[in-house]
Amino acid sequence: MFALVKGPGDELETVTTLGAGDLHVTGELVSALNCFLYDRDDHALGEVLDRVPKAVRMAVQQYLKDKCPPVMGAFTECGPVEVVREAVYFGKIDEELEEYLEGAYMIGLGIRMSNERQRDGGVGWVIRLLNDEVSVPASAEPRTWAIPEGAKLARTWTSKQRFSGAGPVRGALQVAADATDQDRWVRIHTLLHSRYDVDFEGSGTSESVVDVFDAPIPLKQRGE
């Protein structure tokens, strides 16, 4: 099985080899791979890979890892993670919100948090918890939440920058609260920043990242 690599001169790259006894799944595997490249939904692909020999499954997974990294988007090229809890809303940054985030942070869940302007003029916070923190190589920018197209950053703060002795969560919340008081759009997320550029899983330190945009707090979308 080959992948067509688009370029000045189109090329074929070997993905894997199927034995005679597995040729019946060839069409399904090709279709699942094409769908994965289009929308990065690995559910259908996983179902097909569960039915092929281990060597085929490992070859496909290694090819995708080496040649088809996730596209820039919600979680950047460092890799996607799954939402384990749908959006939770808090009306303000207070002790309850801090305890909620501290608990998630302590057990290694990823955090995505942003502010929004309520219809009544107040400011609320939208929080989504993820099943893991994405690992980022040492030389990479400490970010796994892509900057929206057209958005202009005013500043980025990470928990490596001390904030009056506050921990990663409290420090991030203090920065977020100060920027919100200035009517700035704010997003917070967490990641695992590696000490290495290769084989970095499990070898890093957890960090909080706060992006403050040169834009007013966005209005809550109808129906959310």
Side-chain angles (χ1 to χ4, degrees), residues 150-209:
K152 182 179 179 182
L153 273 175
R155 62 176 294 217
T156 294
W157 178 93
T158 75
S159 53
K160 280 193 172 182
Q161 304 170 39
R162 297 295 180 184
F163 196 109
S164 303
V169 172
R170 177 170 294 182
L173 291 179
Q174 288 176 323
V175 173
D178 290 346
T180 300
D181 288 342
Q182 300 172 23
D183 192 35
R184 296 291 188 181
W185 178 23
V186 178
R187 297 197 318 186
I188 299 174
H189 70 283
T190 57
L191 52 86
L192 187 68
H193 205 167
S194 177
R195 297 190 296 272
Y196 311 106
D197 282 335
V198 294
D199 299 325
F200 52 83
E201 287 288 346
S203 64
T205 56
S206 188
E207 291 184 30
S208 295
V209 179

Side-chain angles (χ1 to χ4, degrees), residues 30-46:
V30 170
S31 178
L33 281 166
N34 285 331
C35 288
F36 173 80
L37 293 176
Y38 177 76
D39 60 17
R40 290 308 198 265
D41 183 354
D42 60 2
H43 178 71
L45 177 59

Side-chain angles (χ1 to χ4, degrees), residues 59-75:
V60 170
Q61 291 172 334
Q62 188 63 46
Y63 181 86
L64 293 177
K65 179 180 178 181
D66 293 343
K67 302 291 186 177
C68 309
V71 296
M72 289 291 287
F75 307 111

